[in-house]
Amino acid sequence: MLEWGALGKTTLAKAVYNDEKVNDHFDLKAWFCVSEQYDAFRIAKGLLQEIGLQVDDNINQIQIKLKESLKRKKFLIVLDDVWNDNYNEWDDLRNLFVQGDLGSKIIVTTRKESVALMMGGGAMNVGILSNEVSWALFKRHSLENRDPEEHLELEEIGKKIAEKCKGLPLAIKTLAGMLCSKSTIEEWKRILRSEIWELPDNGILPALMLSYNELPPHLKRCFSYCAIFPKDYQFYREQIIQLWIANGLVQKLQKDETVEELGNQYILELRSRSLLDRVPDSLKWKGGTFSGQDLYKYSQMDGEKFVMHDLVNDLAQIASSKHCTRLEDIEGSHMLERTRHLSYSTGDGKFLSYSSGDGDFGKLKTLYKLEQLRTLLPINIQLHLFSVNLSKRVLHNILPRLTVLRALSFSGYDIKDVPNDLFIKLKLLRFLDLSWTMIKQLPDSICVLYNLETLIVSSCGCLEELPLQMGNLINLHYLDIRRCSRLKMPLHPSKLKSLQVLLGVKCLGLKLKDLGELHNLYGSLSIAELQNVVDRREALKANMREKEHIERGTKFPNWVADYSYLKLETLSLSHCNNCDSLPALGQLPSLKVLTIGYMDRITEVTEEFYGSPSSVKPINSLEWLKFNRMNGWKQWHVLGRGEFPALQNLSIEGCPKLMGKLPGNLCSLTGLTISNCPKFILETPIQLSSLKRFEVVGSLNVGILFDHAELFASQLQGMMQIAPCILAVCRKP
């Protein structure tokens, strides 16, 4: 697939890759972004990780394992953004795929015609969009949510702006996203008349520059900071927000908002202008110190990822004036001295000696010149399985010179301790990341970091304790201790007066009532093992109602329907206002009484409610079921597999939007109540051979068709008609 930049090659490949029909056609799929740094070893390793297999760093073993994994399987592999046109190197890689089954496909996206010719397959040239399609795309992103009357004066100008984008989707989306917040004709005309359109370019750079120029100053600073990341690098939402905060790029304007909330707004604004793209879960690469399915599980726990189009990354580089850059891109000492925010790739390539005492010293020894450096960020883009060694010379001789550092990361390094006097020299630190290291304990000197705002020690499996004087960190608002299974917390979190984000509560061994003293918590809060709560009083002491900045969840936790340890007989789910789906309660074998009510965001009771698809008779013990005040509920999905075999009483009350049908064979049902369900029409034949009580209130359209009218009439006792209803009792034709 051949094209200029930003014509949509990756978008088209993603559409094919994620298509459901494609999923059914292939035995396995894998996606890998190659980019300009071509390395057959890295590609093979990344593909193995994509299909969920564990790998090591032995190049021969990786090649053999990939061959075996693809042997006699019909696969789809996407190699995105290929630049290397060396035939011998491509042929070495292609030999790994030759044993796949007939019908296997490899999709390659590239901007270089020489790459397409070298591949030897058919090339698809992605052309520019027509004026009509360009305008339709521009209109959708700039005018979609406006009053149609407002379109008339803006459409003429918008069409001319769309034409200037020369059919390039990224240019169109970026400008349209920026103009969607511009309401006056003069603002649109200023964009149309800008001199930037005269830049000698294929159309994309002027559009991107215009979008950048229209950003407010705070977003310009945050956007240009993203130049610290290499092209195609996927970074976490929380990571970039905390780095912005550490460098003073996110500042509160209102007293009742948190910097995290503001940072999330910045992300949304940059994304709306197509300057950041959210990475779909199916395309997240699995880099780091673990691989395969375990790493994938962990990566999902760390939240949303974002990526910048490589041309947008170029724009960020220009906007940052080389203040934010990568060590590998620095060509001269004059550029080095200008740098304020720096990232670098950990390790020295595929033949890295992990036991080497020098580690990354050769690469980092030039840092002693950067006494004004604010950010130092190692990035693992080689997908190393093992942690990389960090030279003691870096720890003792180089880092102490960087006295104005605001953000420092050791993530992924094989370090077991940090010099105690290091943090005495780095008193201005606001962000410290020690995740995925082998560290056993933090030095006491960390407690002198009075400016520290973010501390990340997640996935430190050897970490046993934190310093006793952690309460001195008076500005610490973000603490991540997830996956620290050995950690013993000597300090109660309430001592950290500014703490807003606490990830990894389980590692603290806290009781639920202890959360009551954490007054400033923000964002999402995950609480495990709620079955250990002693009584209602303990739950009330958590004081969750007054935690205004905590996001309320939309899903029930899995343990609610876990039959392995929950032997529930009676369950009531009520007033869960944010909940949008019901748990798999069909898996609870002992459940006899179930009440569900006042959950307005539930629109459907789906197949998931019944539990495992293999269950012959789901919810086989339930005797009493009541739905009450479900204002958004529209449909009840019926399995038709003999569900509810023991159900005796069914009540549906106050469900004004409910339409559809009941389960078909309620052979044990003795009482049925349908109240205030004006849209509910029940016409499907059902078997109610045991029914003795039928009550209808304010539900004018209810009608029931029975197979045996005489039997029904003889059994129906005490039927009450409190309000008019239609009761159809007739023989089956």
Side-chain angles (χ1 to χ4, degrees):
M1 195 179 300
L2 177 66
E3 59 148 295
W4 296 357
L7 274 179
K9 66 182 188 304
T10 299
T11 302
L12 180 57
K14 286 178 182 177
V16 174
Y17 188 80
N18 292 320
D19 188 87
E20 291 184 4
K21 294 181 179 178
V22 172
N23 291 335
D24 295 336
H25 185 72
F26 294 100
D27 299 322
L28 59 84
K29 302 189 308 176
W31 177 292
F32 192 80
C33 184
V34 179
S35 198
E36 296 180 48
Q37 186 181 8
Y38 185 90
D39 184 340
F41 167 78
R42 184 173 66 96
I43 297 171
K45 184 176 181 179
L47 291 175
L48 270 178
Q49 292 178 323
E50 272 285 316
I51 60 181
L53 296 179
Q54 293 189 355
V55 296
D56 55 27
D57 277 5
N58 184 301
I59 186 170
N60 294 323
Q61 290 298 320
I62 282 178
Q63 292 177 341
I64 293 171
K65 200 166 188 176
L66 183 59
K67 273 188 177 181
E68 289 297 317
S69 301
L70 302 179
K71 191 174 182 179
R72 291 190 292 274
K73 289 188 176 68
K74 189 185 294 186
F75 60 78
L76 170 64
I77 289 177
V78 178
L79 300 177
D80 185 36
D81 198 22
V82 178
W83 290 75
N84 188 296
D85 56 6
N86 184 305
Y87 179 80
N88 291 331
E89 291 184 351
W90 163 243
D91 197 48
D92 290 341
L93 182 63
R94 182 170 56 182
N95 286 332
L96 303 178
F97 308 133
V98 295
Q99 297 187 40
D101 198 5
L102 187 66
S104 296
K105 301 293 181 183
I106 300 176
I107 298 177
V108 176
T109 68
T110 182
R111 296 189 209 172
K112 297 179 67 174
E113 186 175 5
S114 58
V115 172
L117 294 173
M118 176 196 68
M119 296 293 176
M124 177 192 300
N125 286 279
V126 182
I128 61 174
L129 303 181
S130 66
N131 286 341
E132 292 77 13
V133 176
S134 295
W135 166 238
L137 180 63
F138 187 93
K139 183 177 181 180
R140 178 159 63 89
H141 285 275
S142 61
L143 298 173
E144 187 175 40
N145 297 320
R146 301 200 183 192
D147 187 332
E149 296 298 324
E150 296 180 0
H151 292 181
L152 301 178
E153 294 183 280
L154 297 177
E155 281 194 4
E156 182 179 354
I157 305 171
K159 287 179 180 179
K160 294 178 181 178
I161 295 175
E163 288 180 11
K164 285 183 173 289
C165 293
K166 300 182 180 179
L168 301 174
L170 178 61
I172 294 169
K173 287 176 60 180
T174 303
L175 269 185
M178 177 265 293
L179 286 170
C180 72
S181 60
K182 307 290 185 183
S183 57
T184 68
I185 294 177
E186 286 305 316
E187 288 176 307
W188 283 51
K189 284 183 177 179
R190 189 178 75 251
I191 298 301
L192 178 62
R193 297 167 180 166
S194 173
E195 296 180 358
I196 294 179
W197 290 114
E198 306 303 320
L199 289 174
D201 191 82
N202 61 10
I204 184 64
L205 185 59
L208 294 179
M209 287 295 298
L210 280 167
S211 183
Y212 171 77
N213 288 343
E214 291 295 317
L215 290 175
H218 63 276
L219 285 184
K220 283 183 177 179
R221 293 190 292 269
C222 290
F223 170 72
S224 63
Y225 185 89
C226 294
I228 196 173
F229 297 121
K231 290 183 178 179
D232 299 312
Y233 180 73
Q234 300 174 9
F235 52 89
Y236 289 109
R237 173 198 290 265
E238 284 298 316
Q239 178 188 27
I240 188 60
I241 290 176
Q242 295 305 317
L243 287 170
W244 285 343
I245 293 171
N247 285 283
L249 304 181
V250 181
Q251 298 179 348
K252 291 198 300 182
L253 300 177
Q254 300 178 17
K255 189 175 181 180
D256 60 345
E257 68 182 351
T258 67
V259 284
E260 277 80 14
E261 287 174 324
L262 201 54
N264 278 308
Q265 291 178 25
Y266 291 3
I267 291 281
L268 292 175
E269 291 181 39
L270 292 175
R271 186 184 176 193
S272 71
R273 291 167 166 81
S274 296
L275 296 175
L276 292 181
D277 291 321
R278 184 182 180 276
V279 179
D281 290 341
S282 59
L283 295 179
K284 289 179 179 177
W285 63 264
K286 294 126 183 122
T289 55
F290 285 97
S291 62
Q293 295 179 356
D294 286 339
L295 178 63
Y296 181 74
K297 176 178 68 176
Y298 287 146
S299 69
Q300 298 308 296
M301 294 172 67
D302 287 331
E304 283 187 304
K305 276 187 169 184
F306 290 86
V307 69
M308 302 170 73
H309 191 284
D310 53 3
L311 294 177
V312 176
N313 188 288
D314 288 339
L315 174 63
Q317 293 282 355
I318 295 172
S320 74
S321 301
K322 300 302 180 181
H323 288 301
C324 307
T325 189
R326 298 185 64 221
L327 183 60
E328 290 79 5
D329 295 337
I330 294 177
E331 298 174 353
S333 59
H334 65 286
M335 290 181 61
L336 194 64
E337 292 170 0
R338 295 174 59 185
T339 301
R340 294 295 178 266
H341 309 284
L342 185 70
S343 73
Y344 62 94
S345 301
T346 56
D348 295 319
K350 62 186 177 183
F351 299 114
L352 176 71
S353 173
Y354 292 93
S355 61
S356 170
D358 276 348
D360 276 340
F361 176 74
K363 178 180 292 186
L364 301 179
K365 62 183 180 181
T366 57
L367 296 186
Y368 74 92
K369 301 178 181 178
L370 301 182
E371 295 185 357
Q372 298 303 311
L373 194 66
R374 303 293 200 275
T375 303
L376 183 59
L377 188 68
I379 291 179
N380 182 359
I381 64 172
Q382 294 288 346
L383 307 181
H384 294 305
L385 176 61
F386 303 108
S387 299
V388 180
N389 183 270
L390 182 63
S391 169
K392 290 185 177 180
R393 287 194 283 176
V394 173
L395 288 169
H396 289 274
N397 300 332
I398 295 179
L399 292 181
R401 298 174 63 93
L402 309 180
T403 55
V404 298
L405 270 180
R406 303 297 198 270
L408 174 62
S409 173
F410 295 106
S411 181
Y413 276 115
D414 184 16
I415 57 174
K416 296 180 175 61
D417 54 58
V418 178
N420 189 58
D421 61 349
L422 176 61
F423 296 125
I424 296 175
K425 302 288 182 63
L426 305 181
K427 289 184 178 180
L428 299 181
L429 270 185
R430 298 175 182 173
F431 173 100
L432 178 60
D433 185 357
L434 289 158
S435 61
W436 297 100
T437 62
M438 306 297 290
I439 196 165
K440 293 184 178 181
Q441 64 181 39
L442 299 181
D444 291 335
S445 64
I446 199 173
C447 300
V448 305
L449 298 177
Y450 305 118
N451 296 295
L452 192 66
E453 299 172 334
T454 301
L455 176 60
I456 303 173
V457 290
S458 58
S459 302
C460 293
C462 299
L463 184 62
E464 297 177 351
E465 60 182 8
L466 299 179
L468 290 172
Q469 302 301 318
M470 285 279 288
N472 292 343
L473 302 180
I474 56 176
N475 287 303
L476 189 68
H477 71 260
Y478 186 101
L479 176 60
D480 186 354
I481 53 174
R482 286 174 292 180
R483 303 184 291 278
C484 296
S485 56
R486 299 184 184 181
L487 180 61
K488 298 177 182 178
M489 186 75 168
L491 170 73
H492 195 284
S494 63
K495 301 294 183 183
L496 301 171
K497 300 297 184 182
S498 300
L499 196 62
Q500 297 176 359
V501 180
L502 175 58
L503 304 175
V505 175
K506 184 177 180 181
C507 297
L508 299 180
L510 295 179
K511 295 182 179 180
L512 188 62
K513 64 180 181 181
D514 295 330
L515 294 176
E517 300 182 42
L518 300 177
H519 303 291
N520 299 315
L521 288 182
Y522 155 86
S524 53
L525 175 65
S526 176
I527 306 175
E529 301 180 4
L530 280 175
Q531 71 274 16
N532 295 324
V533 176
V534 176
D535 56 30
R536 180 173 178 269
R537 289 174 297 177
E538 183 180 353
L540 289 175
K541 289 179 181 178
N543 204 18
M544 296 301 296
R545 291 183 182 274
E546 296 187 11
K547 294 178 177 22
E548 298 179 357
H549 297 291
I550 289 290
E551 298 172 359
R552 311 302 175 188
T554 62
K555 309 289 183 187
F556 283 94
N558 292 335
W559 61 260
V560 171
D562 190 340
Y563 63 88
S564 63
Y565 65 84
L566 273 186
K567 310 299 181 184
L568 286 176
E569 294 187 4
T570 301
L571 176 63
S572 176
L573 303 177
S574 179
H575 292 89
C576 301
N577 297 327
N578 291 334
C579 180
D580 58 16
S581 64
L582 294 175
L585 299 177
Q587 299 177 160
L588 298 176
S590 304
L591 190 62
K592 293 182 179 181
V593 179
L594 175 60
T595 303
I596 300 172
Y598 297 92
M599 297 165 68
D600 292 348
R601 292 189 63 184
I602 298 289
T603 59
E604 295 179 297
V605 175
T606 66
E607 289 84 352
E608 296 178 6
F609 172 69
Y610 301 98
S612 172
S614 62
S615 178
V616 178
K617 290 189 176 182
I619 318 186
N620 60 355
S621 298
L622 195 66
E623 298 175 359
W624 186 291
L625 175 60
K626 181 176 182 178
F627 291 98
N628 185 33
R629 301 294 179 186
M630 304 283 285
N631 290 325
W633 186 24
K634 297 179 180 179
Q635 188 174 5
W636 186 352
H637 292 267
V638 176
L639 294 181
R641 295 206 309 265
E643 57 266 33
F644 305 107
L647 190 64
Q648 298 176 17
N649 289 281
L650 173 61
S651 176
I652 305 175
E653 302 178 10
C655 302
K657 297 182 180 180
L658 180 62
M659 299 180 288
K661 53 190 177 182
L662 298 178
N665 184 12
L666 299 175
C667 57
S668 301
L669 196 70
T670 60
L672 174 61
T673 299
I674 300 176
S675 174
N676 295 317
C677 302
K679 293 187 178 182
F680 191 66
I681 302 175
L682 188 58
E683 298 178 348
T684 303
I686 57 177
Q687 297 180 22
L688 299 171
S689 55
S690 301
L691 191 67
K692 295 182 179 180
R693 181 179 57 82
F694 179 36
E695 182 179 348
V696 179
V697 180
S699 305
L700 302 180
N701 298 317
V702 173
I704 302 180
L705 183 66
F706 298 91
D707 288 347
H708 303 287
E710 294 85 355
L711 178 63
F712 167 76
S714 65
Q715 292 181 335
L716 195 62
Q717 300 174 3
M719 186 182 78
M720 302 170 62
Q721 291 189 352
I722 300 176
C725 68
I726 301 172
L727 177 63
V729 182
C730 61
R731 292 183 182 275
K732 187 176 181 180

mmCIF file of all heavy atoms in Angstrom, residues 59-60 158 183 291 396 485 543 622 692 728:
data_model
loop_
_atom_site.group_PDB
_atom_site.id
_atom_site.type_symbol
_atom_site.label_atom_id
_atom_site.label_comp_id
_atom_site.label_asym_id
_atom_site.label_seq_id
_atom_site.Cartn_x
_atom_site.Cartn_y
_atom_site.Cartn_z
ATOM 1 N N ILE A 59 18.281 -14.456 19.034
ATOM 2 C CA ILE A 59 17.760 -14.197 17.701
ATOM 3 C C ILE A 59 17.402 -15.478 16.957
ATOM 4 O O ILE A 59 16.379 -15.552 16.270
ATOM 5 C CB ILE A 59 18.766 -13.352 16.873
ATOM 6 C CG1 ILE A 59 18.138 -12.972 15.527
ATOM 7 C CG2 ILE A 59 20.088 -14.072 16.706
ATOM 8 C CD1 ILE A 59 18.933 -11.955 14.764
ATOM 9 N N ASN A 60 18.202 -16.528 17.116
ATOM 10 C CA ASN A 60 17.907 -17.788 16.421
ATOM 11 C C ASN A 60 16.638 -18.431 16.953
ATOM 12 O O ASN A 60 15.805 -18.935 16.190
ATOM 13 C CB ASN A 60 19.094 -18.754 16.555
ATOM 14 C CG ASN A 60 20.326 -18.256 15.835
ATOM 15 O OD1 ASN A 60 20.228 -17.661 14.758
ATOM 16 N ND2 ASN A 60 21.493 -18.474 16.418
ATOM 17 N N GLY A 158 -15.732 27.262 4.308
ATOM 18 C CA GLY A 158 -15.229 25.929 4.635
ATOM 19 C C GLY A 158 -14.846 25.131 3.408
ATOM 20 O O GLY A 158 -13.844 24.401 3.415
ATOM 21 N N SER A 183 -16.569 30.140 16.041
ATOM 22 C CA SER A 183 -17.969 30.394 15.693
ATOM 23 C C SER A 183 -18.186 31.580 14.766
ATOM 24 O O SER A 183 -19.253 31.712 14.171
ATOM 25 C CB SER A 183 -18.789 30.607 16.973
ATOM 26 O OG SER A 183 -18.240 31.667 17.741
ATOM 27 N N SER A 291 6.355 -10.336 28.327
ATOM 28 C CA SER A 291 5.853 -10.456 26.975
ATOM 29 C C SER A 291 4.594 -11.281 26.971
ATOM 30 O O SER A 291 4.180 -11.841 27.972
ATOM 31 C CB SER A 291 6.899 -11.123 26.077
ATOM 32 O OG SER A 291 7.167 -12.428 26.549
ATOM 33 N N HIS A 396 26.274 7.695 39.999
ATOM 34 C CA HIS A 396 27.126 8.418 40.946
ATOM 35 C C HIS A 396 27.777 9.662 40.355
ATOM 36 O O HIS A 396 28.058 10.617 41.102
ATOM 37 C CB HIS A 396 28.218 7.487 41.478
ATOM 38 C CG HIS A 396 27.716 6.430 42.404
ATOM 39 N ND1 HIS A 396 27.552 6.642 43.755
ATOM 40 C CD2 HIS A 396 27.319 5.153 42.164
ATOM 41 C CE1 HIS A 396 27.083 5.540 44.318
ATOM 42 N NE2 HIS A 396 26.936 4.616 43.374
ATOM 43 N N SER A 485 3.731 -6.835 45.237
ATOM 44 C CA SER A 485 3.128 -7.852 46.094
ATOM 45 C C SER A 485 3.830 -7.998 47.444
ATOM 46 O O SER A 485 3.228 -8.467 48.413
ATOM 47 C CB SER A 485 3.127 -9.206 45.370
ATOM 48 O OG SER A 485 4.447 -9.558 44.967
ATOM 49 N N ASN A 543 -16.674 6.760 53.765
ATOM 50 C CA ASN A 543 -17.082 8.128 53.429
ATOM 51 C C ASN A 543 -16.988 8.411 51.930
ATOM 52 O O ASN A 543 -16.511 9.467 51.507
ATOM 53 C CB ASN A 543 -16.215 9.123 54.207
ATOM 54 C CG ASN A 543 -16.905 10.462 54.394
ATOM 55 O OD1 ASN A 543 -18.117 10.552 54.252
ATOM 56 N ND2 ASN A 543 -16.139 11.485 54.703
ATOM 57 N N LEU A 622 -33.624 -19.575 40.874
ATOM 58 C CA LEU A 622 -34.333 -18.322 41.180
ATOM 59 C C LEU A 622 -35.836 -18.555 41.291
ATOM 60 O O LEU A 622 -36.459 -19.128 40.392
ATOM 61 C CB LEU A 622 -34.044 -17.275 40.098
ATOM 62 C CG LEU A 622 -34.417 -15.835 40.451
ATOM 63 C CD1 LEU A 622 -33.536 -15.333 41.585
ATOM 64 C CD2 LEU A 622 -34.291 -14.931 39.235
ATOM 65 N N LYS A 692 -51.427 -18.617 38.743
ATOM 66 C CA LYS A 692 -52.614 -18.468 39.576
ATOM 67 C C LYS A 692 -52.980 -17.004 39.806
ATOM 68 O O LYS A 692 -54.108 -16.711 40.181
ATOM 69 C CB LYS A 692 -52.397 -19.157 40.921
ATOM 70 C CG LYS A 692 -52.235 -20.665 40.813
ATOM 71 C CD LYS A 692 -52.062 -21.301 42.177
ATOM 72 C CE LYS A 692 -51.924 -22.819 42.045
ATOM 73 N NZ LYS A 692 -51.748 -23.469 43.373
ATOM 74 N N ALA A 728 -55.978 -11.610 26.454
ATOM 75 C CA ALA A 728 -56.446 -12.481 25.373
ATOM 76 C C ALA A 728 -56.299 -13.926 25.790
ATOM 77 O O ALA A 728 -55.199 -14.389 26.058
ATOM 78 C CB ALA A 728 -55.628 -12.224 24.106
#
